[in-house]
Amino acid sequence: MGNHRADRRGPGRRPSDLPTPVAPAAVVAGKRRAASPGKSVPTTPRSSGGKRVASRHSSSRGPLFRGLPSPPVLLGVAALAISAGGALTAAGGSLGDDGTRFSQASALSGASDVSRVSLLDRDTVSRDSRRDALADAADAKLVDQAESQLKQRDAALAKFAQQAEQQAAKLRLNQWVLPVDPGAYHLTAGFGEYSGLWSHYHTGLDFAAPTGTPIHAVANGVVTSVGYDGAYGNKTVITLDDGTELWFCHQNSYAVDVGQEVHAGDLIGYVGSTGNVTGPHLHLEVRPGAGDPVDPYAALVVHGLQP
């Protein structure tokens, strides 16, 4: 016991509870040898007498923990995983004011709530689209109605223009003319005058002209009477399409026959002094609908003439 130092151990501690010292290199047969790379050199504690004694731990670590990272590295990885997962799912997953929600993707399917979230309000977009479609349809309907009304108006205007042209052509065909050429006559008696020469008031308009002066048809019509008629002398009657009768009196001779169709300006007879007269002249009467006479002067003016 003189060669051994006293163990500095506390009460109740056993040698097996103390950490096993690790020698920096193995000693074999009294020589120092470096440890081979990649191999652990087992160390066996020596007893107080210089002999090797068996230890409860044949190596510093078992094979189970040899391939794992160190505890600080494991703690760091766990902290990162927790923070990443919490950032996506914390506070109900709300990351924006627009209500867009995110959650961690499924490990099996790879799907997440992001794929199911619409960034636009589909109901609002649908309503707006329907509203725009209805507005476009209404505009198109109004345009169609306007175009239809425009076509109807154009058709009506075209019809009126056609009717006006037909009427104008008819008026041109029925244009009245003076019964005696201008410069060949002068007026001597007007409608409604009273004189001892007539039994009643004067019923026509007198065109004084030399005997034999040509007399023309005033308007288009048909000759309905030719002959002598008392105070009217030799008389020719032309009936117009509307039933108006034109009387040409005091003629010297005739140039038409009953039933003959005549046009304005055609020769129908000659100025004379037959019947109750004071000199050669043409007595013209206008009788609408074969009724009572009207002022021939006004009738000629209405048809664009100036006697």
Side-chain angles (χ1 to χ4, degrees), residues 9-235:
R9 293 175 295 182
R13 297 187 66 179
R14 294 175 298 178
S16 61
D17 295 334
L18 296 177
T20 303
V22 179
V27 178
V28 180
K31 294 183 180 179
R32 192 182 182 95
R33 186 180 61 182
S36 299
K39 295 182 179 180
S40 61
V41 178
T43 58
T44 303
R46 294 178 181 271
S47 65
S48 58
K51 296 181 180 181
R52 298 183 183 224
V53 294
S55 173
R56 292 185 179 181
H57 303 284
S58 61
S59 64
S60 61
R61 296 292 178 184
L64 178 62
F65 300 100
R66 186 173 298 170
L68 294 177
S70 62
V73 175
L74 292 176
L75 291 176
V77 172
L80 288 175
I82 292 173
S83 62
L88 294 177
T89 58
S94 177
L95 293 181
D97 294 336
D98 57 354
T100 305
R101 299 172 66 87
F102 297 89
S103 65
Q104 190 173 358
S106 172
L108 296 178
S109 65
S112 68
D113 290 342
V114 177
S115 62
R116 296 192 298 269
V117 173
S118 174
L119 297 179
L120 297 175
D121 190 342
R122 291 175 181 164
D123 292 338
T124 302
V125 172
S126 178
R127 287 195 300 270
D128 291 343
S129 300
R130 287 194 298 269
R131 188 181 299 109
D132 293 341
L134 291 175
D136 293 341
D139 292 341
K141 184 177 181 180
L142 291 176
V143 170
D144 292 340
Q145 292 177 352
E147 290 179 350
S148 177
Q149 292 176 357
L150 183 61
K151 290 180 180 179
Q152 292 177 0
R153 188 197 67 176
D154 291 343
L157 290 176
K159 183 178 180 180
F160 292 154
Q162 183 179 6
Q163 292 177 350
E165 180 61 26
Q166 292 175 352
Q167 185 64 21
K170 185 176 181 181
L171 290 175
R172 287 192 297 270
L173 292 175
N174 293 326
Q175 182 66 46
W176 286 22
V177 300
L178 291 173
V180 181
D181 293 337
Y185 72 91
H186 65 278
L187 298 178
T188 57
F191 179 81
E193 295 181 3
Y194 289 90
S195 172
L197 299 174
W198 314 294
S199 58
H200 300 289
Y201 68 91
H202 192 232
T203 57
L205 181 65
D206 289 348
F207 294 81
T211 300
T213 300
I215 300 173
H216 304 287
V218 172
N220 301 340
V222 177
V223 177
T224 55
S225 175
V226 175
Y228 188 83
D229 187 11
Y232 288 106
N234 295 328
K235 181 180 73 173

Side-chain angles (χ1 to χ4, degrees), residues 177 215-218 220 238 256 260-269:
V177 300
I215 300 173
H216 304 287
V218 172
N220 301 340
I238 297 176
V256 292
Q260 183 178 339
E261 183 177 349
V262 296
H263 298 87
D266 289 350
L267 178 65
I268 63 172

